[in-house]
Amino acid sequence: MQFPTRPPTSPCPMATTAATATATATALASPSTSTSSTPLLPRRGPLPPASTPARCRLLSTPPRWRARLDIARRVAVGSDVSSYPDVAAEEAAASRKVGKRVRVTAPVRVHHVAKAPGLDLRGMEGVVKQYIGVWKGKRVTANLPFKVEFELKLDGQDKPVRFIAHLREQEFEIVGDE
């Protein structure tokens, strides 16, 4: 089987000549071993000339999904949500809570503390270290946006175990300053 070749003077690098394409289609459509008179590929007439600008444009355009991804990338990178006043207000309200001493009011169980697995935080006090709901002036979808640092005193250890837990605003109350 021969593949169509492109002429060296063609303005479109993907285009083939009409004669080469028709000959290839005929060779594929009517194999010599077939006894049937019906061709395998339907003939739809001659192909348009290879130098047609519409054909070059058709061959050089990316697939639809690729175009959608390009648009999504441009929107994600170029969108400026920092100009929204509610983002600035949210960050200002949350920054007042950073550095405050808080008490956990909801039943929150954490499993990442190695020396106290399955620890219930209800009633424990800690310090709000960071608000991560806004990053570089843009809102991010943090489910648990407040990082709170706790100290846990265990029996038989001189130093308390420090760990950080992420909490929602509804899960704690402000007790005072640090």
Side-chain angles (χ1 to χ4, degrees):
M1 179 166 84
Q2 291 182 345
F3 293 102
T5 58
R6 60 186 152 127
T9 59
S10 173
C12 181
M14 300 283 295
T16 59
T17 61
T20 308
T22 309
T24 305
T26 307
L28 289 174
S30 56
S32 60
T33 59
S34 174
T35 57
S36 170
S37 62
T38 325
L40 296 175
L41 295 173
R43 293 186 190 171
R44 298 187 183 191
L47 295 173
S51 63
T52 305
R55 182 163 173 80
C56 288
R57 249 183 285 134
L58 178 71
L59 292 172
S60 65
T61 55
R64 281 188 198 172
W65 61 268
R66 191 170 186 183
R68 286 187 199 134
L69 283 176
D70 290 341
I71 290 170
R73 274 191 213 112
R74 275 187 251 131
V75 168
V77 172
S79 296
D80 183 26
V81 293
S82 62
S83 61
Y84 295 133
D86 59 336
V87 173
E90 176 185 343
E91 190 172 17
S95 66
R96 283 183 258 150
K97 294 178 181 161
V98 174
K100 302 281 185 178
R101 190 146 192 84
V102 296
R103 181 181 302 123
V104 181
T105 57
V108 178
R109 187 172 291 261
V110 294
H111 299 276
H112 68 280
V113 183
K115 299 192 177 181
L119 177 65
D120 188 17
L121 297 181
R122 180 182 247 172
M124 290 185 67
E125 291 186 10
V127 178
V128 178
K129 289 294 183 183
Q130 187 181 9
Y131 176 72
I132 56 172
V134 177
W135 184 67
K136 291 187 178 181
K138 295 184 178 182
R139 177 178 287 140
V140 294
T141 56
N143 295 332
L144 308 168
F146 288 94
K147 288 173 80 172
V148 181
E149 184 182 44
F150 296 96
E151 287 185 359
L152 179 64
K153 295 181 182 177
L154 296 175
D155 296 334
Q157 285 198 339
D158 298 333
K159 293 171 62 174
V161 177
R162 287 186 172 189
F163 63 95
I164 292 178
H166 292 257
L167 301 174
R168 292 184 186 94
E169 188 174 4
Q170 298 84 16
E171 294 175 336
F172 61 85
E173 63 183 5
I174 296 176
V175 177
D177 291 334
E178 185 182 7

mmCIF file of all heavy atoms in Angstrom, residues 80-104:
data_model
loop_
_atom_site.group_PDB
_atom_site.id
_atom_site.type_symbol
_atom_site.label_atom_id
_atom_site.label_comp_id
_atom_site.label_asym_id
_atom_site.label_seq_id
_atom_site.Cartn_x
_atom_site.Cartn_y
_atom_site.Cartn_z
ATOM 1 N N ASP A 80 -8.959 37.664 36.856
ATOM 2 C CA ASP A 80 -8.513 38.425 38.010
ATOM 3 C C ASP A 80 -9.678 38.537 38.984
ATOM 4 O O ASP A 80 -10.564 39.350 38.799
ATOM 5 C CB ASP A 80 -8.035 39.809 37.585
ATOM 6 C CG ASP A 80 -7.504 40.606 38.757
ATOM 7 O OD1 ASP A 80 -7.046 39.979 39.725
ATOM 8 O OD2 ASP A 80 -7.552 41.844 38.706
ATOM 9 N N VAL A 81 -9.672 37.680 39.990
ATOM 10 C CA VAL A 81 -10.740 37.724 40.986
ATOM 11 C C VAL A 81 -10.344 38.543 42.197
ATOM 12 O O VAL A 81 -11.124 38.730 43.109
ATOM 13 C CB VAL A 81 -11.164 36.302 41.442
ATOM 14 C CG1 VAL A 81 -11.801 35.556 40.333
ATOM 15 C CG2 VAL A 81 -9.992 35.550 42.005
ATOM 16 N N SER A 82 -9.106 39.026 42.207
ATOM 17 C CA SER A 82 -8.671 39.808 43.358
ATOM 18 C C SER A 82 -9.332 41.180 43.392
ATOM 19 O O SER A 82 -9.313 41.845 44.410
ATOM 20 C CB SER A 82 -7.153 39.965 43.339
ATOM 21 O OG SER A 82 -6.766 40.671 42.178
ATOM 22 N N SER A 83 -9.906 41.601 42.278
ATOM 23 C CA SER A 83 -10.534 42.910 42.256
ATOM 24 C C SER A 83 -11.935 42.885 42.877
ATOM 25 O O SER A 83 -12.527 43.933 43.072
ATOM 26 C CB SER A 83 -10.622 43.414 40.814
ATOM 27 O OG SER A 83 -11.413 42.533 40.049
ATOM 28 N N TYR A 84 -12.446 41.713 43.156
ATOM 29 C CA TYR A 84 -13.764 41.637 43.773
ATOM 30 C C TYR A 84 -13.669 42.115 45.216
ATOM 31 O O TYR A 84 -12.792 41.692 45.969
ATOM 32 C CB TYR A 84 -14.312 40.218 43.737
ATOM 33 C CG TYR A 84 -14.574 39.707 42.348
ATOM 34 C CD1 TYR A 84 -14.142 38.454 41.960
ATOM 35 C CD2 TYR A 84 -15.247 40.477 41.419
ATOM 36 C CE1 TYR A 84 -14.385 37.978 40.688
ATOM 37 C CE2 TYR A 84 -15.494 40.014 40.148
ATOM 38 C CZ TYR A 84 -15.058 38.764 39.792
ATOM 39 O OH TYR A 84 -15.295 38.313 38.527
ATOM 40 N N PRO A 85 -14.586 42.967 45.653
ATOM 41 C CA PRO A 85 -14.494 43.494 47.017
ATOM 42 C C PRO A 85 -14.777 42.450 48.090
ATOM 43 O O PRO A 85 -14.277 42.557 49.201
ATOM 44 C CB PRO A 85 -15.538 44.608 47.033
ATOM 45 C CG PRO A 85 -16.455 44.313 45.909
ATOM 46 C CD PRO A 85 -15.655 43.561 44.891
ATOM 47 N N ASP A 86 -15.562 41.411 47.769
ATOM 48 C CA ASP A 86 -15.868 40.413 48.786
ATOM 49 C C ASP A 86 -14.647 39.569 49.140
ATOM 50 O O ASP A 86 -14.534 39.089 50.266
ATOM 51 C CB ASP A 86 -17.041 39.543 48.367
ATOM 52 C CG ASP A 86 -16.800 38.800 47.065
ATOM 53 O OD1 ASP A 86 -15.982 39.265 46.266
ATOM 54 O OD2 ASP A 86 -17.448 37.761 46.854
ATOM 55 N N VAL A 87 -13.708 39.390 48.216
ATOM 56 C CA VAL A 87 -12.488 38.641 48.518
ATOM 57 C C VAL A 87 -11.634 39.434 49.497
ATOM 58 O O VAL A 87 -11.107 38.895 50.480
ATOM 59 C CB VAL A 87 -11.704 38.326 47.224
ATOM 60 C CG1 VAL A 87 -10.360 37.696 47.546
ATOM 61 C CG2 VAL A 87 -12.507 37.403 46.337
ATOM 62 N N ALA A 88 -11.515 40.726 49.256
ATOM 63 C CA ALA A 88 -10.733 41.571 50.161
ATOM 64 C C ALA A 88 -11.390 41.642 51.537
ATOM 65 O O ALA A 88 -10.698 41.606 52.571
ATOM 66 C CB ALA A 88 -10.591 42.966 49.570
ATOM 67 N N ALA A 89 -12.714 41.725 51.573
ATOM 68 C CA ALA A 89 -13.420 41.781 52.848
ATOM 69 C C ALA A 89 -13.286 40.459 53.603
ATOM 70 O O ALA A 89 -13.110 40.450 54.833
ATOM 71 C CB ALA A 89 -14.894 42.105 52.619
ATOM 72 N N GLU A 90 -13.353 39.354 52.871
ATOM 73 C CA GLU A 90 -13.210 38.041 53.503
ATOM 74 C C GLU A 90 -11.815 37.877 54.097
ATOM 75 O O GLU A 90 -11.653 37.392 55.216
ATOM 76 C CB GLU A 90 -13.457 36.950 52.458
ATOM 77 C CG GLU A 90 -13.238 35.543 52.951
ATOM 78 C CD GLU A 90 -13.374 34.515 51.847
ATOM 79 O OE1 GLU A 90 -13.936 34.832 50.786
ATOM 80 O OE2 GLU A 90 -12.911 33.392 52.067
ATOM 81 N N GLU A 91 -10.806 38.308 53.346
ATOM 82 C CA GLU A 91 -9.440 38.188 53.837
ATOM 83 C C GLU A 91 -9.201 39.086 55.056
ATOM 84 O O GLU A 91 -8.525 38.706 56.003
ATOM 85 C CB GLU A 91 -8.458 38.533 52.728
ATOM 86 C CG GLU A 91 -7.027 38.216 53.068
ATOM 87 C CD GLU A 91 -6.103 38.393 51.877
ATOM 88 O OE1 GLU A 91 -6.482 39.052 50.904
ATOM 89 O OE2 GLU A 91 -4.983 37.855 51.959
ATOM 90 N N ALA A 92 -9.793 40.279 55.034
ATOM 91 C CA ALA A 92 -9.638 41.193 56.165
ATOM 92 C C ALA A 92 -10.317 40.642 57.417
ATOM 93 O O ALA A 92 -9.773 40.727 58.527
ATOM 94 C CB ALA A 92 -10.212 42.558 55.811
ATOM 95 N N ALA A 93 -11.501 40.053 57.268
ATOM 96 C CA ALA A 93 -12.211 39.488 58.414
ATOM 97 C C ALA A 93 -11.470 38.286 58.987
ATOM 98 O O ALA A 93 -11.411 38.096 60.208
ATOM 99 C CB ALA A 93 -13.629 39.091 58.007
ATOM 100 N N ALA A 94 -10.899 37.487 58.121
ATOM 101 C CA ALA A 94 -10.181 36.295 58.583
ATOM 102 C C ALA A 94 -8.833 36.658 59.185
ATOM 103 O O ALA A 94 -8.372 35.986 60.111
ATOM 104 C CB ALA A 94 -9.992 35.325 57.429
ATOM 105 N N SER A 95 -8.206 37.718 58.689
ATOM 106 C CA SER A 95 -6.888 38.084 59.218
ATOM 107 C C SER A 95 -6.981 38.576 60.661
ATOM 108 O O SER A 95 -5.999 38.518 61.401
ATOM 109 C CB SER A 95 -6.238 39.147 58.336
ATOM 110 O OG SER A 95 -6.966 40.355 58.404
ATOM 111 N N ARG A 96 -8.140 39.060 61.072
ATOM 112 C CA ARG A 96 -8.323 39.465 62.467
ATOM 113 C C ARG A 96 -8.306 38.265 63.415
ATOM 114 O O ARG A 96 -8.028 38.415 64.602
ATOM 115 C CB ARG A 96 -9.635 40.236 62.628
ATOM 116 C CG ARG A 96 -9.523 41.670 62.111
ATOM 117 C CD ARG A 96 -10.795 42.416 62.337
ATOM 118 N NE ARG A 96 -11.455 42.427 61.032
ATOM 119 C CZ ARG A 96 -12.748 42.458 60.829
ATOM 120 N NH1 ARG A 96 -13.570 42.489 61.840
ATOM 121 N NH2 ARG A 96 -13.244 42.468 59.623
ATOM 122 N N LYS A 97 -8.621 37.085 62.895
ATOM 123 C CA LYS A 97 -8.651 35.883 63.736
ATOM 124 C C LYS A 97 -7.286 35.208 63.844
ATOM 125 O O LYS A 97 -7.067 34.408 64.740
ATOM 126 C CB LYS A 97 -9.660 34.887 63.170
ATOM 127 C CG LYS A 97 -11.074 35.417 63.252
ATOM 128 C CD LYS A 97 -12.055 34.468 62.650
ATOM 129 C CE LYS A 97 -13.428 35.101 62.754
ATOM 130 N NZ LYS A 97 -14.392 34.534 61.869
ATOM 131 N N VAL A 98 -6.368 35.539 62.924
ATOM 132 C CA VAL A 98 -5.038 34.927 62.954
ATOM 133 C C VAL A 98 -4.293 35.441 64.182
ATOM 134 O O VAL A 98 -4.252 36.639 64.457
ATOM 135 C CB VAL A 98 -4.258 35.247 61.657
ATOM 136 C CG1 VAL A 98 -2.821 34.740 61.748
ATOM 137 C CG2 VAL A 98 -4.958 34.645 60.461
ATOM 138 N N GLY A 99 -3.722 34.518 64.953
ATOM 139 C CA GLY A 99 -3.007 34.871 66.166
ATOM 140 C C GLY A 99 -3.872 34.810 67.419
ATOM 141 O O GLY A 99 -3.366 34.952 68.531
ATOM 142 N N LYS A 100 -5.161 34.596 67.265
ATOM 143 C CA LYS A 100 -6.075 34.534 68.422
ATOM 144 C C LYS A 100 -6.080 33.131 69.015
ATOM 145 O O LYS A 100 -5.856 32.139 68.327
ATOM 146 C CB LYS A 100 -7.510 34.893 68.003
ATOM 147 C CG LYS A 100 -7.666 36.252 67.382
ATOM 148 C CD LYS A 100 -7.696 37.304 68.435
ATOM 149 C CE LYS A 100 -7.982 38.637 67.763
ATOM 150 N NZ LYS A 100 -8.087 39.715 68.679
ATOM 151 N N ARG A 101 -6.362 33.070 70.298
ATOM 152 C CA ARG A 101 -6.511 31.789 70.984
ATOM 153 C C ARG A 101 -7.957 31.339 70.821
ATOM 154 O O ARG A 101 -8.881 32.123 71.038
ATOM 155 C CB ARG A 101 -6.156 31.955 72.453
ATOM 156 C CG ARG A 101 -6.057 30.672 73.188
ATOM 157 C CD ARG A 101 -4.964 30.770 74.265
ATOM 158 N NE ARG A 101 -4.641 29.472 74.802
ATOM 159 C CZ ARG A 101 -3.794 28.631 74.238
ATOM 160 N NH1 ARG A 101 -3.181 28.962 73.137
ATOM 161 N NH2 ARG A 101 -3.535 27.463 74.779
ATOM 162 N N VAL A 102 -8.158 30.091 70.421
ATOM 163 C CA VAL A 102 -9.511 29.576 70.150
ATOM 164 C C VAL A 102 -9.732 28.269 70.892
ATOM 165 O O VAL A 102 -8.787 27.564 71.265
ATOM 166 C CB VAL A 102 -9.732 29.365 68.629
ATOM 167 C CG1 VAL A 102 -9.675 30.675 67.894
ATOM 168 C CG2 VAL A 102 -8.753 28.384 68.049
ATOM 169 N N ARG A 103 -11.005 27.951 71.082
ATOM 170 C CA ARG A 103 -11.417 26.680 71.691
ATOM 171 C C ARG A 103 -12.315 25.962 70.694
ATOM 172 O O ARG A 103 -13.242 26.561 70.142
ATOM 173 C CB ARG A 103 -12.170 26.910 72.997
ATOM 174 C CG ARG A 103 -12.603 25.600 73.667
ATOM 175 C CD ARG A 103 -13.376 25.823 74.949
ATOM 176 N NE ARG A 103 -12.596 26.585 75.919
ATOM 177 C CZ ARG A 103 -13.012 27.730 76.458
ATOM 178 N NH1 ARG A 103 -14.175 28.241 76.138
ATOM 179 N NH2 ARG A 103 -12.262 28.357 77.335
ATOM 180 N N VAL A 104 -12.098 24.672 70.511
ATOM 181 C CA VAL A 104 -12.894 23.869 69.577
ATOM 182 C C VAL A 104 -14.231 23.556 70.237
ATOM 183 O O VAL A 104 -14.285 23.043 71.359
ATOM 184 C CB VAL A 104 -12.154 22.579 69.186
ATOM 185 C CG1 VAL A 104 -12.979 21.760 68.207
ATOM 186 C CG2 VAL A 104 -10.799 22.902 68.579
#
